[in-house]
Amino acid sequence: MADIEARLRSLLQANEAVVSQLDLGAVLKRIVQAAVELVGARYGALGVIGPDGMLEQFIHVGLDAAEARAIGAPPEGHGLLGALIHDPHPIRLEHLGDDPRSTGFPAHHPPMDSFVGVPIRIRGEVFGNLYLTEHGEGGFTAEDTELLETLAATAGIAIDNARLYEESLRRERWAAAAAEMSAAMFSDKTGRPLQLLADKLVPLTDAAAVVVASTVGDGALCVDVARGHGADGWDGAVLPRAGTLMGRVIESWQPLQVTEQSMTIGGERLQWGPTVVVPMWGAARVPMVLTIARPPGGVRFTEHDVDLAADLAEQATIALEMARARADREQLALMDERARIARDLHDHVIQRLFGAGLSLQSISGRLPGEARTAVSDQIETLDAAIAEIRTVIFALRQPRASLGSVRHRVVDVVAEVSASLETPPRVVFHGPLDVRTDVDLAEDVVAVVREGLSNVIRHARAREISVRVAIAENALVVEIDDDGIGIPAAPARRSGVDNLEQRAVSRGGEFSVTAQSAGGTRLRWSVPLTGSEPL
């Protein structure tokens, strides 16, 4: 009777020890320790069954760290351990080696003879199994098995409580992170919601890598954002869609997860553990995928984790649309401002300059020779200023995406080629260029301006450069003037200049590069226009 009372007290103490913990990892460890102490076993273990029906966790007691390392990888659930998984009923053996289901032990494993195993159930489902070996007094008894079954029932409740507690903590962390991320993404003025999403997900999910990729064409994905170990060089990497987890998510538009994943990004072969991929929409409804990968051996994502990742991806989608709308509003505001400036220039500045020019013309006729010449020079200066202002007005008013506009293409080339100059070239247009310049001729004009400016920038050492594109006397003329050092005596290469001359000759035109009397060089390229000049 005293022995029975002592064992019951031991059981109560074991139950109390098991239910006193809320951390799941600590609960599992304490269950094994309590089981070993309760029945007097030398070794004990708790195997947690994974979704694939094998052991995904193996918590052991009795082996020190050196012995565990010598044995190697933990068991997966074959042989006698697997028998409890497939038939969850207690097993008690006096001699392990006598059972036909026993597959033996790996190298460096300590000898074990007596054995007892009982399942742990949570709400009717088997969570895992308790394994005890090497009873201190020979074999395990039926009473030992009953005590372990009672402890397993209490352990199931403790595990369920710990899981619920851990789930509530995880939900709280996700909710806090989601709120913080939403506030950051929706208030961000830099238009970088994907970067904010990836930066937050890495620590939140204990991820080895977080990758956001968008579809490119029909058969590829491009990495937009990557975070994690070694991910610095992944941005812009092109990934295949066919036969990949990301591709399957794009096709099904449903979140998917796997227990392990291998893929190549930027020439680097990667091996990941539990991985979840969720679909999302990018700006302009471009299909994208969010991939969260834990290291090999990491904890599997729960269904709740997948749902929360999908929610965050949806928030990022909304943030992307808001960023695009913000950019559109800013672009519209810029276009309105440019239109206002263009109106002011046309309605006020040009009109006043034009009036001043007319006044000077009426005065010049009443002046003596030298004064008349000086006033005429000023009138020409005003005409040139009016032409330049009209060019600016045209550039401000028209949309930049107008590829058919030779004026815009010339302005874009000038901005591109002369980006390194302290003072940008002056650009002047005359005549109905966009009306009388076809697509092929526009290509030649752009090539002339590009090559001519490149030569000036490389060789002339000029401080002031002007570009004039005009229609005069039924011909299209391109002139590029500079105040540089002039034409070299023996230029090393003439391939670019020869190309411009061939373009002019092929159209029946002329090309020349001449020194100017005031210093510098003038490049002149002219070709005749076909058809009559429009009214």
Side-chain angles (χ1 to χ4, degrees):
M1 178 67 74
D3 183 61
I4 294 175
E5 289 179 356
R7 302 207 74 178
L8 287 175
R9 281 196 297 271
S10 298
L11 177 61
L12 290 173
Q13 291 172 355
N15 287 338
E16 183 180 356
V18 166
V19 299
S20 64
Q21 298 282 345
L22 279 176
D23 179 76
L24 183 58
V27 168
L28 298 179
K29 189 75 171 181
R30 193 69 191 91
I31 290 171
V32 184
Q33 292 171 337
V36 168
E37 295 169 2
L38 181 63
V39 299
R42 182 175 180 183
Y43 303 106
L46 191 157
V48 179
I49 303 172
D52 58 356
M54 306 300 286
L55 297 180
E56 69 173 7
Q57 281 184 272
F58 196 75
I59 299 96
H60 58 80
V61 169
L63 295 175
D64 59 32
E67 290 175 319
R69 285 195 302 270
I71 294 173
E76 297 178 354
H78 302 291
L80 191 59
L81 301 186
L84 261 173
I85 297 175
H86 302 301
D87 184 18
H89 293 88
I91 298 176
R92 180 166 56 90
L93 301 171
E94 290 189 13
H95 303 287
L96 272 170
D98 294 343
D99 193 286
R101 295 168 294 185
S102 178
T103 57
F105 299 104
H108 309 294
H109 198 287
M112 296 181 181
D113 192 22
S114 56
F115 172 86
V116 63
V118 296
I120 299 176
R121 290 182 172 85
I122 299 176
R123 302 179 185 179
E125 294 185 4
V126 178
F127 171 81
N129 297 303
L130 268 174
Y131 307 108
L132 288 302
T133 62
E134 289 299 288
H135 193 280
E137 299 178 358
F140 294 98
T141 64
E143 187 179 287
D144 290 331
T145 305
E146 291 177 1
L147 288 171
L148 289 173
E149 286 185 284
T150 304
L151 178 63
T154 305
I157 297 172
I159 292 171
D160 193 30
N161 289 338
R163 289 169 70 180
L164 290 173
Y165 177 72
E166 190 174 81
E167 183 71 17
S168 67
L169 289 180
R170 184 165 57 247
R171 286 174 182 268
E172 184 178 344
R173 288 198 305 270
W174 275 94
E180 181 182 346
M181 197 180 311
S182 297
M185 286 192 297
F186 295 150
S187 64
D188 180 54
K189 303 301 183 184
T190 63
R192 302 172 62 251
L194 296 180
Q195 288 84 346
L196 292 171
L197 175 68
D199 289 337
K200 180 62 69 174
L201 280 176
V202 170
L204 179 64
T205 61
D206 298 322
V210 172
V211 177
V212 182
S214 57
T215 55
V216 182
D218 296 329
L221 294 161
C222 180
V223 176
D224 294 301
V225 176
R227 294 291 186 271
H229 179 68
D232 292 342
W234 296 354
D235 288 3
V238 178
L239 311 175
R241 278 176 55 180
T244 65
L245 185 62
M246 293 182 183
R248 286 165 52 197
V249 169
I250 290 290
E251 292 171 3
S252 65
W253 208 250
Q254 293 294 324
L256 294 175
Q257 67 166 314
V258 293
T259 55
E260 58 181 10
Q261 164 91 336
S262 61
M263 64 184 306
T264 300
I265 301 180
E268 180 182 0
R269 188 67 177 174
L270 303 168
Q271 189 67 41
W272 291 332
T275 303
V276 60
V277 183
V278 297
M280 60 183 290
W281 292 106
R285 302 294 288 177
V286 174
M288 306 179 75
V289 286
L290 166 65
T291 301
I292 309 170
R294 285 175 173 157
V299 179
R300 181 183 174 89
F301 291 95
T302 65
E303 292 300 321
H304 182 63
D305 292 337
V306 177
D307 292 340
L308 288 172
D311 289 343
L312 291 178
E314 187 173 348
Q315 290 182 23
T317 296
I318 297 172
L320 284 171
E321 286 298 329
M322 290 181 64
R324 188 173 72 130
R326 187 184 302 119
D328 289 343
R329 288 196 302 271
E330 291 173 354
Q331 184 65 26
L332 285 173
L334 176 62
M335 292 176 65
D336 288 343
E337 180 64 13
R338 291 171 64 175
R340 184 191 65 77
I341 294 172
R343 286 195 304 270
D344 289 346
L345 287 173
H346 181 271
D347 296 342
H348 301 293
V349 179
I350 285 186
Q351 297 302 326
R352 292 175 65 180
L353 289 175
F354 190 72
L358 290 177
S359 298
L360 288 174
Q361 279 184 335
S362 64
I363 293 171
S364 65
R366 302 193 298 269
L367 295 176
E370 291 185 5
R372 181 184 304 171
T373 301
V375 171
S376 298
D377 290 342
Q378 294 305 311
I379 292 173
E380 291 180 2
T381 301
L382 287 175
D383 289 340
I386 290 172
E388 291 182 20
I389 293 173
R390 281 177 172 163
T391 299
V392 172
I393 292 172
F394 182 85
L396 288 172
R397 281 180 170 173
Q398 299 298 322
R400 303 296 293 174
S402 177
L403 294 180
S405 169
V406 67
R407 299 184 187 224
H408 275 150
R409 296 188 63 184
V410 168
V411 170
D412 289 340
V413 168
V414 171
E416 172 192 340
V417 174
S418 58
S420 60
L421 295 175
E422 294 184 5
T423 303
R426 293 186 300 114
V427 182
V428 178
F429 298 115
H430 285 291
L433 288 167
D434 292 332
V435 175
R436 305 202 61 197
T437 307
D438 59 30
V439 175
D440 292 337
L441 181 55
E443 292 292 336
D444 283 347
V445 171
V446 170
V448 170
V449 173
R450 185 188 300 276
E451 181 63 31
L453 280 178
S454 297
N455 285 335
V456 172
I457 293 169
R458 286 196 303 265
H459 307 301
R461 304 179 199 169
R463 289 176 299 177
E464 293 187 4
I465 307 170
S466 65
V467 178
R468 178 175 177 269
V469 183
I471 291 180
E473 298 179 357
N474 213 27
L476 190 148
V477 180
V478 178
E479 291 180 342
I480 301 176
D481 294 342
D482 69 79
D483 63 351
I485 60 176
I487 305 171
R493 296 180 58 186
R494 284 187 50 88
S495 57
V497 175
D498 290 343
N499 177 46
L500 300 186
E501 186 173 7
Q502 290 171 7
R503 288 179 183 267
V505 171
S506 67
R507 292 182 175 274
E510 298 176 347
F511 172 77
S512 64
V513 180
T514 57
Q516 300 191 89
S517 58
T521 306
R522 165 170 289 183
L523 179 151
R524 191 176 193 277
W525 186 91
S526 65
V527 294
L529 293 173
T530 58
S532 60
E533 187 172 354
L535 297 176

